[in-house]
Amino acid sequence: MDKLNWISICKFKRIKSDRFVEDLLSYEKKLYSNCFKVGVIYLKEGQATEEEMLRNSVASDDFEEFINFIADKIELQNWNRYNGGLDIKNNRTGTHSYFTTLDNNQIMFHVSTLLPLSEPDEDDSNDKASTVITKKVHIGNDIVCIIFNDGDSPFVPDCITSQFNRMLLLIHSSL
């Protein structure tokens, strides 16, 4: 049956409630958000793996200058704007992050050096990868991820494993 014939045999009912329109708008707003999260990974000289990059907790002055250029450092505790999934009550995802607005869009940055390393599980005490899980949970789920290369080491995109990262933007400190 083609679509026009199907429509002609349907019986439509008039909806007299304003609530219906409000529900449609609410649904539309959920689909098209003005809130975004972007991952930022610090790549030190000599690093080649995602784990090595995610284990960084201190960055260079060049990295700090870059991140402060694109966003403002904010305290997460009791943050009342878009939080990008970061913990704003118990500091489980760190105490600070970076946030900005652009044309009424809110952008929260998941900065690898600010997200805490996880404590290894007792069962995984020899597994170094288990310590980067908190960072990976957030950055690995971001569609856009900025890689700040702070040296001459080549960046190989395949080292970042994610089903969600769709755009990797490489920023090189010496260019």
Side-chain angles (χ1 to χ4, degrees), residues 25-131:
L25 289 175
S26 173
Y27 180 72
E28 183 76 13
K29 286 179 184 175
K30 287 178 186 174
L31 289 177
Y32 301 104
S33 174
N34 68 333
C35 299
F36 303 92
K37 44 193 183 139
V38 174
V40 182
I41 297 176
Y42 177 64
L43 168 59
K44 274 199 258 186
E45 176 65 38
Q47 295 181 330
T49 69
E50 180 180 41
E51 182 188 334
E52 289 172 329
M53 292 179 242
L54 291 178
R55 292 184 63 74
N56 292 326
S57 57
V58 177
S60 69
D61 290 342
D62 286 343
F63 177 81
E64 296 296 330
E65 183 181 349
F66 166 73
I67 194 72
N68 282 295
F69 177 73
I70 64 172
D72 298 313
K73 191 171 190 176
I74 56 104
E75 187 174 342
L76 288 171
Q77 188 76 36
N78 299 318
W79 178 251
N80 63 359
R81 300 191 63 192
Y82 177 63
N83 64 26
L86 298 176
D87 181 12
I88 58 171
K89 299 214 183 298
N90 301 309
N91 295 330
R92 282 187 232 123
T93 55
T95 58
H96 293 82
S97 192
Y98 281 83
F99 176 86
T100 195
T101 58
L102 178 65
D103 298 329
N104 294 320
N105 294 300
Q106 298 182 64
I107 306 166
M108 178 61 77
F109 292 88
H110 293 151
V111 182
S112 66
T113 56
L114 295 178
L115 290 164
L117 290 168
S118 307
E119 294 296 322
D121 294 334
E122 289 179 22
D123 297 337
D124 295 329
S125 59
N126 293 324
D127 184 10
K128 289 182 184 177
S130 67
T131 62

Side-chain angles (χ1 to χ4, degrees), residues 58 110 129 134 136 147 156 160 169 172:
V58 177
H110 293 151
T134 301
K136 183 67 177 173
I147 312 297
V156 179
I160 305 290
L169 177 63
H172 204 284

Side-chain angles (χ1 to χ4, degrees), residues 1-25:
M1 176 182 307
D2 68 34
K3 289 180 184 178
L4 292 178
N5 286 336
W6 178 80
I7 290 175
S8 65
I9 60 171
C10 288
K11 294 188 180 195
F12 295 98
K13 192 180 213 180
R14 185 176 183 93
I15 298 173
K16 298 179 183 179
S17 170
D18 289 337
R19 175 80 184 161
F20 176 73
V21 174
E22 290 171 14
D23 287 345
L24 280 177
L25 289 175

